Amino acid sequence: EAGVTQFPSHSVIEKGQTVTLRCDPISGHDNLYWYRRVMGKEIKFLLHFVKESKQDESGMPNNRFLAERTGGTYSTLKVQPAELEDSGVYFCASSRRGAPYEQYFGPGTRLTVT
Amino acid sequence: DQQVKQNSPSLSVQEGRISILNCDYTNSMFDYFLWYKKYPAEGPTFLISISSIKDKNEDGRFTVFLNKSAKHLSLHIVPSQPGDSAVYFCAADDGGTASKLTFGTGTRLQVTL
């Protein structure tokens, strides 16, 4: 079984530019989560999809962040326009409907905004 | 405000000895707790979990203890092995529909030979 994959692994952009991160969850996992870790601090929840629907987006920092999950499969997280404080590692995780706590994480995308 | 706290940023233990990683939480609504292990350039990997109705869960060399009255949990690794060297994150969930995890800042464990 393939794990959660994320693309790109690393992105360096200038302040004001746009970046789109992609996550492919484990096949069959209805739950998809985005988390972020900034400057070696705690990993913080951003939002949760159940299939294509946003279940909880209470962790999204502001309206510069837009997440979508097309057809309940892969998900994208767009940051537009990027600010310096958006730098960090963005993790995607997925889990089965019957086991929401058992979240499998991808390797993360390291975003650096200069 | 940080609801899950790991006050020790690092821990060094000799191979074969016991590693004890600690975690405190403030939110009394948390009812499920997990430990994740993370290697550099990889995502966190689920290690072990415990429900709030239990006070201990064991899986091989890993045991998690939960003290609800003290809002404290710990992860014991016995015996510690060099491959256990990683960052360990404590996480908690409040049992809501979102199943969003609240993480601590992590403890870096180094197991020395």
Side-chain angles (χ1 to χ4, degrees):
Chain A
E1 176 181 77
V4 177
T5 58
Q6 293 186 245
F7 183 82
S9 58
H10 194 180
S11 180
V12 181
I13 60 172
E14 292 183 353
K15 176 182 172 180
Q17 289 186 320
T18 298
V19 63
T20 300
L21 314 181
R22 172 170 172 144
C23 167
D24 286 82
I26 292 173
S27 178
H29 281 195
D30 287 344
N31 295 301
L32 187 149
Y33 307 81
W34 283 97
Y35 292 87
R36 177 174 74 171
R37 188 182 190 205
V38 175
M39 290 289 290
K41 295 186 178 179
E42 70 269 31
I43 299 169
K44 280 194 171 182
F45 168 84
L46 296 178
L47 87 158
H48 169 215
F49 284 98
V50 176
K51 296 188 178 179
E52 67 277 5
S53 300
K54 290 178 186 173
Q55 182 75 19
D56 182 343
E57 52 184 328
S58 61
M60 295 287 263
N62 50 61
N63 58 11
R64 296 185 293 103
F65 289 75
L66 175 64
E68 294 179 327
R69 189 177 183 191
T70 306
T73 56
Y74 71 92
S75 174
T76 58
L77 179 65
K78 180 190 284 189
V79 184
Q80 179 184 28
E83 297 289 344
L84 298 178
E85 63 265 25
D86 301 333
S87 295
V89 181
Y90 290 77
F91 292 105
C92 175
S94 70
S95 65
R96 291 180 292 112
R97 185 185 305 181
Y101 302 117
E102 294 180 14
Q103 297 181 19
Y104 295 82
F105 280 74
T109 293
R110 180 174 295 277
L111 174 64
T112 303
V113 183
T114 62
Chain B
D1 64 335
Q2 210 168 323
Q3 300 184 66
V4 176
K5 299 177 184 179
Q6 294 177 257
N7 293 317
S8 298
S10 63
L11 175 68
S12 183
V13 172
Q14 224 171 9
E15 181 182 12
R17 307 291 289 266
I18 183 172
S19 295
I20 300 176
L21 295 94
N22 294 303
C23 178
D24 297 291
Y25 62 96
T26 58
N27 188 344
S28 57
M29 297 300 292
F30 287 147
D31 70 350
Y32 201 81
F33 303 88
L34 308 92
W35 284 94
Y36 278 81
K37 174 179 177 180
K38 185 184 177 307
Y39 292 117
E42 293 184 10
T45 302
F46 169 75
L47 195 57
I48 191 170
S49 62
I50 187 167
S51 165
S52 60
I53 62 173
K54 296 185 175 181
D55 55 16
K56 176 182 174 182
N57 188 26
E58 192 172 352
D59 184 1
R61 297 186 296 113
F62 303 92
T63 303
V64 56
F65 295 92
L66 175 62
N67 182 333
K68 283 188 66 177
S69 60
K71 293 192 176 68
H72 176 85
L73 65 156
S74 61
L75 174 69
H76 292 210
I77 306 173
V78 183
S80 300
Q81 299 174 354
D84 296 330
S85 297
V87 178
Y88 289 78
F89 289 95
C90 172
D93 183 86
D94 63 6
T97 56
S99 296
K100 61 184 181 186
L101 300 179
T102 301
F103 284 85
T105 52
T107 295
R108 181 178 302 277
L109 172 65
Q110 180 156 12
V111 180
T112 59
L113 298 174

